[in-house]
Amino acid sequence: MRRNDRPHAAAVHVRRGPALAVSLLALAALTLASGPAAARDAAPDDDAPLGSVSWRVDLSAPTGDETNVSRADGTLRLRDRTLRPASARSARGQGTVLVPERALDRAVDLITPVLDATVPAGAEVAVDVRGQDGLGAWTEWREASAGAPALLPRAVTRVQARITLISAPNGAAPVVRDLRLNAELGNVARQGVAAAAAYTATVYATREGLVGGTTANGHVIVANDHFVALPSRRGLSPKGSAEYSVRVCGPARCETAPVWDVGPWNTHDDHWNPSSVRETFKDLPQGKPESQAAYQDGYNGGLDEFGRRVLNPAGIDLADGTFYNVGLNNNGYVTVTYLWTSTGAATTSFPTWGTDVNIRQQPTSTSTRVAQLPGPTTVRVQCQVHGQLVQADGHSNDAWSYLPDYGGYVSNIFIDVADSWLPGVPTC
């Protein structure tokens, strides 16, 4: 509703009658009121300020989704220092642990790990994190370190971590003793995003083969297998899942296949991302793998990230079943759509009014408060839904808007426009 039509704090009242109409207590939690009355009536979870949240990852118990990792005295170690992901063909052993998801009581987008580990020279421990937003979509994985926190592309209320242990070329392996994760809402000043289909590029494909080998997510390769490898952990699916998949189109047909391995050539080359968020090789155009640039143009001295001479321009490896199914008999170019990169619905910006306006995990005033708007501002709305009916000062509205930058919903009463149902905004 428009600012000059909104209910004022001094005149707040609630019409009783409809079963879903909120009480004065709930309205206070929504901050229709302000000052001492709002503080007195707020629900307990609304009294505490929203800030960062921290938790310790339990490393002692098996997670059910781990590869080549052993536990001794609560530490993580490589079980076999010679076991390595098939596609990358690296000389370094690797093991991974997928940590159980963590549900949070607030929206976050900035994750910082605090790692206690012994890492010999040439070895590595990587902590990748991802998040799930209020609409149920997972972000891409992002590597995080104490000096370089992971900024997720949108606010989330569930966080998952993945720990990767990598040995040195001489076999020396890391030992992980403890991991804590700190999370906060660090950046909500994002620009409006237009709806966009998943990104598509033409890249050179090679056949992975290597039956009996183990992929980066722990899958043991079988004959006529169906999966792909990409040269970055950012799009690696958990074992047995298709959470990150590609659509590969070859000479004969297309196939949708999960990303289960990391390679070929590189392991930090998310070439499907624009340079602004690409992990490495940011000076290359989007869609051009580093291996292709190295092979064709002499980029990076013709070497991959490990210093190996690049012998073909491959930006994707295809398991045997996928390779032959799309119509390839020899290595060649295919069209690849990275299905998780779709931006989904467009966002539309709207002004808000009110101070200390709460954003809820669900479209109801009794659900968890995940963020708060300190004062009037502009928000990006992705979609809207009919939720709990709010009545105040003669106005009724059951519409709530989903704000991707905060990972939750706000009552449309606080959107400073004349319409109760926002024009041009789709239903969630």
Side-chain angles (χ1 to χ4, degrees), residues 27-273:
L27 285 173
L30 279 167
T31 63
L32 283 173
S34 59
R40 181 179 65 248
D41 293 336
D45 69 305
D46 290 335
D47 289 339
L50 285 171
S52 63
V53 60
S54 177
W55 67 96
R56 181 175 179 269
V57 174
D58 183 6
L59 301 181
S60 63
T63 66
D65 196 338
E66 52 194 57
T67 302
N68 195 32
V69 170
S70 65
R71 289 179 170 77
D73 302 323
T75 64
L76 298 181
R77 303 168 185 263
L78 286 179
R79 182 186 299 113
D80 181 353
R81 301 184 186 190
T82 66
L83 186 64
R84 54 189 63 91
S87 179
R89 294 171 171 84
S90 170
R92 306 167 71 190
Q94 180 175 307
T96 60
V97 173
L98 188 66
V99 174
E101 303 168 19
R102 178 82 175 196
L104 306 179
D105 64 354
R106 66 205 67 189
V108 301
D109 63 1
L110 193 65
I111 318 293
T112 305
V114 180
L115 183 68
D116 180 9
T118 298
V119 185
E124 181 184 352
V125 176
V127 178
D128 298 314
V129 294
R130 65 175 182 172
Q132 193 175 53
D133 64 17
L135 298 179
W138 283 107
T139 69
E140 194 175 63
W141 292 99
R142 290 287 186 268
E143 187 171 349
S145 65
L151 178 61
L152 300 179
R154 56 185 179 274
V156 300
T157 53
R158 299 183 75 88
V159 172
Q160 188 169 38
R162 182 179 61 204
I163 306 170
T164 302
L165 289 77
I166 304 172
S167 70
N170 64 5
V175 178
V176 177
R177 287 179 291 273
D178 188 65
L179 174 64
R180 294 189 65 86
L181 295 174
N182 299 323
E184 60 185 304
L185 191 62
N187 179 13
V188 295
R190 297 185 173 95
Q191 301 298 315
V193 177
Y199 181 73
T200 298
T202 299
V203 297
Y204 193 79
T206 48
R207 183 176 67 88
E208 179 158 347
L210 302 175
V211 172
T214 302
T215 67
N217 72 354
H219 170 72
V220 177
I221 302 172
V222 299
N224 198 40
D225 220 336
H226 290 260
F227 68 86
V228 306
L230 292 177
S232 168
R233 293 192 306 268
R234 285 186 165 186
L236 180 64
S237 290
K239 184 178 180 180
S241 87
E243 291 174 356
Y244 303 93
S245 294
V246 296
R247 182 168 174 79
V248 183
C249 294
R253 62 186 61 85
C254 298
E255 176 181 316
T256 297
V259 183
W260 283 355
D261 208 357
V262 177
W265 298 111
N266 295 300
T267 61
H268 295 83
D269 183 23
D270 50 326
H271 55 256
W272 53 88
N273 278 324

Side-chain angles (χ1 to χ4, degrees), residues 144-405:
S145 65
L151 178 61
L152 300 179
R154 56 185 179 274
V156 300
T157 53
R158 299 183 75 88
V159 172
Q160 188 169 38
R162 182 179 61 204
I163 306 170
T164 302
L165 289 77
I166 304 172
S167 70
N170 64 5
V175 178
V176 177
R177 287 179 291 273
D178 188 65
L179 174 64
R180 294 189 65 86
L181 295 174
N182 299 323
E184 60 185 304
L185 191 62
N187 179 13
V188 295
R190 297 185 173 95
Q191 301 298 315
V193 177
Y199 181 73
T200 298
T202 299
V203 297
Y204 193 79
T206 48
R207 183 176 67 88
E208 179 158 347
L210 302 175
V211 172
T214 302
T215 67
N217 72 354
H219 170 72
V220 177
I221 302 172
V222 299
N224 198 40
D225 220 336
H226 290 260
F227 68 86
V228 306
L230 292 177
S232 168
R233 293 192 306 268
R234 285 186 165 186
L236 180 64
S237 290
K239 184 178 180 180
S241 87
E243 291 174 356
Y244 303 93
S245 294
V246 296
R247 182 168 174 79
V248 183
C249 294
R253 62 186 61 85
C254 298
E255 176 181 316
T256 297
V259 183
W260 283 355
D261 208 357
V262 177
W265 298 111
N266 295 300
T267 61
H268 295 83
D269 183 23
D270 50 326
H271 55 256
W272 53 88
N273 278 324
S275 60
S276 59
V277 296
R278 188 166 174 165
E279 187 175 11
T280 55
F281 312 117
K282 291 177 176 289
D283 54 339
L284 291 177
Q286 183 180 12
K288 188 166 191 176
E290 188 276 345
S291 55
Q292 181 180 342
Y295 181 78
Q296 294 176 342
D297 309 323
Y299 179 85
N300 194 36
L303 308 177
D304 68 4
E305 69 177 76
F306 301 107
R308 300 176 299 187
R309 177 68 54 185
V310 175
L311 302 178
N312 61 51
I316 188 171
D317 256 351
L318 308 181
D320 288 359
T322 302
F323 185 89
Y324 293 117
N325 184 46
V326 301
L328 291 175
N329 292 312
N330 296 298
N331 298 336
Y333 284 93
V334 294
T335 301
V336 181
T337 301
Y338 308 85
L339 297 175
W340 67 92
T341 62
S342 169
T343 59
T347 61
T348 305
S349 296
F350 292 94
T352 69
W353 67 272
T355 58
D356 298 331
V357 173
N358 289 326
I359 298 168
R360 301 287 177 175
Q361 200 167 60
Q362 300 297 327
T364 167
S365 63
T366 57
S367 75
T368 301
R369 178 188 63 157
V370 297
Q372 195 173 67
L373 304 178
T377 187
T378 299
V379 294
R380 296 195 309 129
V381 174
Q382 180 174 336
C383 57
Q384 58 190 331
V385 65
H386 292 289
Q388 183 179 25
L389 178 68
V390 174
Q391 287 189 334
D393 201 28
H395 297 278
S396 298
N397 200 348
D398 69 349
W400 294 69
S401 290
Y402 182 74
L403 312 182
D405 293 333

Side-chain angles (χ1 to χ4, degrees), residues 15-29:
R15 297 186 183 276
R16 304 186 183 276
L20 291 177
V22 295
S23 65
L24 183 59
L25 175 64
L27 285 173

